[in-house]
Amino acid sequence: MERHIAERLYEFLHERISFLFGKQIVLAAVHADDDVKRIEERAHAFDDIDVAVRRRIKRSGEYRGYHDSIVTDLTKASKRCIFIRMKRILPTFLLCAAALFVGCTTTGTVEPTPRAPVYDAFEEEYLRSIDGMEGSVSREEFASDKQTILTIITELGRIMNTLDYDAWIDYVEPNSVTYWRNQRNLTQASRMLPNKNQRLKNLRDYFTLVFVPARTNRQIDEIRYISNVRVKAVQVQDDSDIIFYNFVKQNGKWLVYLPPLER
């Protein structure tokens, strides 16, 4: 082989790496007696046989060693390059991760503001009615007691409109009847009447001059428990309760309680 042809072939083989991964190797052949100074044809692979594909190179036995060594070197070089780059960026990555972790742990969590419980109208009235009472009553008992007491008050309204003393006395509890039949108590109450010319001589006068005028045409809205056997019937004005009736439960029956004089 002529020297200049061998030099050109050597330069061509080392010109680029991709040439080494081609499916065929380009060789130049010159006839022993030929004086022409050029490459006449491209030679095929030495072993023209079918082989398996490995690392994208069709290998034919003894000629694969050079290719495998190059691929192995390139693989090691790539891994080494990746490792060096990882060593360079790893401190920065760890620093960012640490800053993110510290920020998450030090930032205070915002707790939701607890909301006040929302009640319906019945529940609100029930809570007002039992506020400060001695003992307890269920919601069912409250609803039943209120309905019974309002029914009695409606009946008392009819009695007061007709000044039916005999019907009224049946709704008054016995201790109150005894107290207000006492003449001394009636005389003392007479001093507090708006009309100084009027005198309370008996319980009927108390009904006519005290009980009826104080309660006629009054709207009763709610009840307030003192205990489970004592209740006030009130008219609600703004945030105030105006008491118009007192009731006590005796033998399972609600009766009107007439408060005594203040000493």
Side-chain angles (χ1 to χ4, degrees):
M1 180 183 294
E2 296 295 331
R3 181 176 179 179
H4 70 278
I5 296 176
E7 291 175 353
R8 292 288 300 276
L9 179 59
Y10 179 81
E11 291 174 358
F12 185 77
L13 289 173
H14 291 80
E15 182 177 359
R16 61 189 64 181
I17 297 177
S18 59
F19 176 77
L20 298 175
F21 293 90
K23 293 185 177 181
Q24 295 179 348
I25 299 177
V26 179
L27 299 176
V30 179
H31 194 272
D33 297 326
D34 196 349
D35 294 330
V36 180
K37 310 299 182 183
R38 59 184 178 84
I39 301 175
E40 290 188 350
E41 62 179 352
R42 299 166 59 91
H44 292 286
F46 295 113
D47 299 316
D48 191 12
I49 59 175
D50 294 329
V51 296
V53 177
R54 179 179 181 186
R55 297 179 183 173
R56 303 188 60 82
I57 298 175
K58 290 185 178 180
R59 52 191 177 87
S60 57
E62 58 181 321
Y63 302 107
R64 71 182 178 87
Y66 182 66
H67 298 288
D68 288 346
S69 63
I70 293 178
V71 172
T72 302
D73 292 342
L74 290 175
T75 302
K76 291 181 179 179
S78 299
K79 290 182 178 180
R80 184 163 53 252
C81 181
I82 294 173
F83 177 73
I84 293 173
R85 290 192 176 185
M86 286 298 296
K87 287 182 66 177
R88 290 178 180 176
I89 68 172
L90 184 59
T92 303
F93 174 78
L94 293 177
L95 182 61
C96 293
L100 179 62
F101 176 77
V102 172
C104 293
T105 56
T106 57
T107 302
T109 57
V110 179
E111 296 183 359
T113 302
R115 296 182 178 180
V118 178
Y119 302 113
D120 56 22
F122 173 84
E123 185 69 12
E124 290 179 352
E125 182 180 349
Y126 167 74
L127 294 175
R128 287 195 299 271
S129 298
I130 65 173
D131 185 33
M133 71 171 292
E134 299 175 4
S136 63
V137 294
S138 66
R139 290 166 178 78
E140 292 75 15
E141 291 172 326
F142 159 71
S144 177
D145 289 342
K146 180 183 177 182
Q147 181 179 1
T148 300
I149 289 171
L150 292 181
T151 300
I152 294 174
I153 290 174
T154 300
E155 182 62 20
L156 288 173
R158 184 191 65 79
I159 291 173
M160 289 187 288
N161 289 335
T162 59
L163 296 179
D164 189 350
Y165 169 77
D166 294 331
W168 174 76
I169 201 73
D170 290 339
Y171 286 93
V172 181
E173 60 97 13
N175 292 331
S176 296
V177 172
T178 300
Y179 181 89
W180 285 107
R181 279 178 174 169
N182 185 293
Q183 191 62 46
R184 181 179 177 179
N185 295 331
L186 291 172
T187 300
Q188 185 176 352
S190 297
R191 300 190 185 103
M192 293 181 284
L193 292 174
N195 188 345
K196 301 302 179 182
N197 295 323
Q198 294 177 332
R199 294 289 183 270
L200 302 178
K201 299 174 184 166
N202 50 47
L203 187 56
R204 183 184 291 271
D205 289 342
Y206 177 90
F207 167 70
T208 305
L209 300 176
V210 177
F211 189 88
V212 173
R215 295 166 177 83
T216 300
N217 299 324
R218 299 294 184 180
Q219 177 64 41
I220 305 303
D221 302 312
E222 300 180 8
I223 63 175
R224 300 286 185 265
Y225 282 94
I226 301 173
S227 67
N228 57 348
V229 294
R230 293 186 62 191
V231 169
K232 297 176 182 179
V234 303
Q235 183 182 49
V236 179
Q237 289 187 354
D238 299 328
D239 294 330
S240 301
D241 294 335
I242 302 175
I243 303 170
F244 286 108
Y245 294 92
N246 287 272
F247 288 88
V248 295
K249 181 180 281 189
Q250 294 181 356
N251 299 322
K253 183 178 181 180
W254 288 105
L255 298 172
V256 175
Y257 170 72
L258 304 175
L261 296 168
E262 294 183 359
R263 299 296 180 181

